[in-house]
């Protein structure tokens, strides 16, 4: 029986993934569990394992393609089993898109039928993109229960591809005309300079034309001053932009004395080094303290979804990690119950594999809270953007000596600055303040965990 190979969802908010590389060829025998392909999200590149054993056939996605989550991109067949003749997908609105495959696995142009029932749900982002590009949403087939941005962009790409083929073959196109994907500023600049956007190569998401592309094309700026970001960086930028523009952020700051944190590390580091052969870091200690505090503040450990607040049962802390391609957030699972040594071992393994692009899907999934520590870069304090759909992220600076008042007298003490960024849809100021206060108390006296 044919097994569908689909674009997997590695994160709760993921809409699409980039196919980086097929590790097996069409027609090659694969074994369930062995690496099949590499994909990219906005956070990481990971290897995806084969969901079944058999022959890999009918590959539909090419390297570099941006594929909506849940879309079939190939099949694994038993020896002698033919490719599926067609794959109808029943949609809530009564539409369907059928891709007919030939014997060699090629995929001709899909045929689309507009829905008679137009009550299908559409995400706000998808609706805005459709309006900007003149797309009739009744022709767009969603991959899930509603039309998302990825569905609209896939439709636009398909329309552009067919339009180009029709022009090349000198055949009139019967498809709905669409506008070139472009930012509002890019459209304005192109109109001011009398440029045809179709002639401008876009460097934005899904090939959208940006203002910098128009300026470069018109010669207003030198081409060498425009940097085309890598895929991970671009997807990360999209994710952070969505978070920054859609999440109602608020921030709390707290300066905390770190003397006992320093002493704790001095006391525990030799034990961890002897047992795990790993250097204990302040990040490891903070993950332990955060995990313990989150167990007392489940609201901070929650997440936002379209249906409302999601109460996470596990406490899994993501660690923002800089790599050459951008930023990844590997996850320390069960941070509230793991020992400091176990956390250090997990962190060391995850960071090492992140830098070598060897993370697995489980390494970046399931995060419920994020820690971003820039103390090792001599940063005193900073504010982070919430890593949606999580409710909060903690930004931590370096430990440094500062003059603080003690009993009315100036005293030099090691201090650390904590900045908590929160999603106001999930957390209010009072709950966030209580969490930050309890965490600060633990940092100042970490042995309270043992009481």
């Amino acid at each position: 029986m044919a097994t569908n190979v689909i674009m997997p969802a590695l994160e709760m908010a993921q809409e699409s993934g980039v196919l980086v590389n097929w590790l097996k060829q069409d027609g090659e025998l694969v074994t369930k569990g062995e690496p099949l392909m590499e994909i990219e999200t906005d956070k990481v590149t990971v290897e995806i394992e084969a969901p079944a054993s058999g022959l890999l056939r009918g590959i539909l996605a090419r390297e570099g393609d941006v594929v909506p989550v849940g879309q079939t991109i190939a099949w694994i067949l038993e020896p002698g089993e033919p490719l599926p003749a067609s794959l109808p997908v029943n949609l809530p609105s009564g539409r369907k898109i059928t891709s007919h495959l030939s014997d060699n696995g090629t995929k001709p142009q899909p045929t689309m039928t507009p829905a008679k029932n137009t009550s299908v749900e559409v995400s706000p982002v998808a609706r805005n993109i459709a309006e900007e590009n003149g797309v009739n949403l009744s022709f767009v087939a969603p991959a899930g229960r509603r039309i998302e941005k990825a569905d609209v962009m896939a439709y636009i790409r398909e329309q552009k591809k067919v339009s180009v083929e029709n022009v090349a073959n000198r055949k009139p196109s019967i498809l709905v005309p669409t506008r070139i994907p472009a930012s509002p500023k890019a459209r304005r600049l192109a109109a001011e300079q009398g440029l045809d956007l179709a002639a401008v190569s876009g460097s934005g998401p899904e090939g959208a034309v940006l203002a910098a592309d128009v300026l470069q094309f018109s010669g207003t700026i030198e081409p060498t001053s425009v940097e085309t970001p890598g895929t991970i960086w671009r997807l990360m930028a999209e994710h952070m932009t969505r978070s920054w523009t859609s999440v109602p952020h608020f921030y709390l700051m707290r300066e905390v004395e770190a003397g006992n944190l320093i002493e704790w590390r001095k006391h525990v580091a030799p034990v961890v080094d002897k047992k795990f052969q790993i250097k204990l870091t302040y990040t490891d200690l903070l993950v332990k303290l955060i995990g313990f505090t989150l167990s007392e503040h489940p609201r901070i450990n929650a997440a936002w979804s379209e249906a409302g607040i999601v109460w996470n049962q596990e406490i899994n802390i993501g660690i923002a990690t800089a790599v050459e391609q951008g930023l990844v957030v590997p996850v320390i699972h069960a941070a509230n119950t793991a020992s400091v040594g176990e956390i250090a071992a997990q962190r060391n393994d995850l960071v090492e594999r992140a830098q070598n692009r060897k993370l697995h899907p489980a390494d970046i999934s399931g995060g419920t809270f994020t820690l971003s520590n820039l103390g090792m870069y001599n940063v005193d304090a900073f504010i982070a953007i919430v890593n949606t759909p999580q409710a909060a992220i903690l930004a931590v600076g370096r430990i440094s000596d500062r003059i603080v008042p003690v009993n009315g007298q100036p005293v030099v003490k090691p201090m650390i600055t904590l900045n908590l960024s929160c999603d106001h849809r999930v957390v209010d100021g009072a709950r966030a303040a209580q969490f930050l206060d309890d965490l600060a108390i633990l940092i100042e006296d970490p042995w309270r965990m043992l009481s």
Side-chain angles (χ1 to χ4, degrees):
M1 181 177 179
T3 299
N4 291 34
V5 178
I6 66 171
M7 174 59 67
L10 305 180
E11 308 151 26
M12 290 179 64
Q14 181 185 341
E15 295 181 350
S16 62
V18 178
L19 178 63
V20 177
N21 183 36
W22 283 105
L23 303 178
K24 297 289 184 178
Q25 302 297 319
D26 197 312
E28 188 173 351
L29 187 65
V30 299
T31 303
K32 181 179 180 179
E34 72 173 325
L36 180 64
M37 58 184 174
E38 291 182 338
I39 67 168
E40 280 183 353
T41 70
D42 61 327
K43 294 184 175 70
V44 70
T45 300
V46 296
E47 289 184 350
I48 302 300
E49 299 175 349
S53 297
L55 294 173
L56 178 66
R57 289 292 310 279
I59 292 178
L60 302 178
R62 297 174 298 177
E63 296 175 358
D65 284 352
V66 179
V67 183
V69 166
Q71 180 170 309
T72 296
I73 54 179
W75 291 267
I76 295 178
L77 309 177
E78 296 179 359
E81 183 180 9
L83 280 167
S86 62
L87 293 174
V89 179
N90 296 322
L91 304 173
S93 61
R95 284 174 288 175
K96 67 178 182 179
I97 174 171
T98 304
S99 300
H100 298 279
L101 297 174
S102 63
D103 291 336
N104 62 4
T106 59
K107 179 186 177 184
Q109 176 63 32
T111 58
M112 302 182 192
T113 305
K116 296 180 180 180
N117 177 6
T118 58
S119 61
V120 63
E121 186 179 353
V122 182
S123 74
V125 174
R127 190 176 298 279
N128 290 339
I129 294 175
E131 291 177 355
E132 183 174 344
N133 290 277
V135 174
N136 184 344
L137 287 171
S138 65
F139 285 86
V140 180
R145 64 179 182 83
R146 70 171 190 173
I147 296 177
E148 301 285 357
K149 168 190 171 183
D151 302 318
V152 178
M153 297 307 299
Y155 176 81
I156 292 174
R157 287 198 306 272
E158 202 64 56
Q159 299 287 44
K160 290 173 63 179
K161 176 182 176 182
V162 173
S163 297
V164 170
E165 291 175 350
N166 285 336
V167 170
N169 296 327
R170 299 189 180 275
K171 296 179 180 179
S173 174
I174 60 173
L175 297 174
V176 178
T178 65
R179 293 197 295 168
I180 302 299
S183 69
K185 185 175 181 181
R187 293 188 187 284
R188 177 176 58 80
L189 290 173
E192 291 174 354
Q193 300 182 35
L195 297 177
D196 181 4
L197 280 174
V200 181
S201 178
S203 64
E206 311 292 348
V209 178
L210 305 180
D213 302 322
V214 176
L215 293 174
Q216 177 181 332
F217 183 84
S218 64
T220 306
I221 56 176
E222 293 296 329
T224 54
S225 65
V226 178
E227 177 184 354
T228 302
T231 303
I232 290 183
W233 191 274
R234 174 174 57 80
L235 294 176
M236 179 190 71
E238 290 181 3
H239 179 71
M240 289 295 99
T241 299
R242 286 195 300 271
S243 177
W244 179 250
T245 56
S246 64
V247 173
H249 285 69
F250 73 90
Y251 314 97
L252 301 178
M253 186 183 75
R254 177 77 175 263
E255 287 193 337
V256 182
E257 183 182 343
N260 282 335
L261 186 68
I262 296 173
E263 290 301 316
W264 185 28
R265 181 169 179 260
K266 289 180 180 178
H267 179 74
V268 179
V271 179
V272 173
D273 180 61
K274 182 178 180 180
K275 184 175 181 179
F276 297 96
Q277 291 77 52
I278 293 171
K279 180 181 178 181
L280 184 68
T281 68
Y282 287 113
T283 293
D284 303 326
L285 301 180
L286 289 171
V287 167
K288 178 61 180 177
L289 296 177
I290 292 169
F292 183 88
T293 309
L294 285 174
S295 64
E296 302 294 327
H297 297 270
R299 191 84 170 208
I300 311 298
N301 194 55
W304 178 256
S305 72
E306 294 179 359
I309 296 174
V310 176
W311 298 89
N312 294 309
Q313 300 303 310
E314 298 180 349
I315 296 177
N316 304 324
I317 299 177
I319 301 176
T321 304
V323 295
E324 183 179 354
Q325 299 81 18
L327 181 72
V328 297
V329 187
V331 177
I332 303 292
H333 290 266
N336 56 318
T337 58
S339 69
V340 170
E342 291 169 340
I343 290 173
Q346 282 193 63
R347 184 266 313 157
N348 183 74
D349 174 61
L350 289 169
V351 170
E352 184 176 293
R353 287 194 287 112
Q355 293 171 344
N356 293 320
R357 298 168 64 96
K358 295 297 183 182
L359 289 175
H360 303 298
D363 298 328
I364 62 169
S365 63
T368 61
F369 185 95
T370 297
L371 167 66
S372 182
N373 182 3
L374 292 180
M376 66 286 294
Y377 298 104
N378 295 321
V379 172
D380 291 315
F382 68 104
I383 296 174
I385 300 174
V386 171
N387 184 20
T388 55
Q390 298 171 15
I393 181 172
L394 184 70
V396 179
R398 66 174 176 171
I399 298 174
S400 60
D401 289 340
R402 301 172 199 170
I403 299 175
V404 296
V406 178
N407 298 325
Q409 299 297 320
V411 178
V412 176
K413 287 184 173 292
M415 304 294 291
I416 186 171
T417 301
L418 313 178
N419 275 292
L420 184 67
S421 304
C422 300
D423 184 344
H424 218 320
R425 298 172 299 182
V426 183
V427 185
D428 57 55
R431 286 186 174 90
Q434 292 167 1
F435 166 80
L436 190 59
D437 186 53
D438 286 351
L439 178 60
I441 291 172
L442 271 184
I443 292 175
E444 292 178 343
D445 186 5
W447 293 279
R448 294 172 69 97
M449 287 190 303
L450 304 178
S451 60

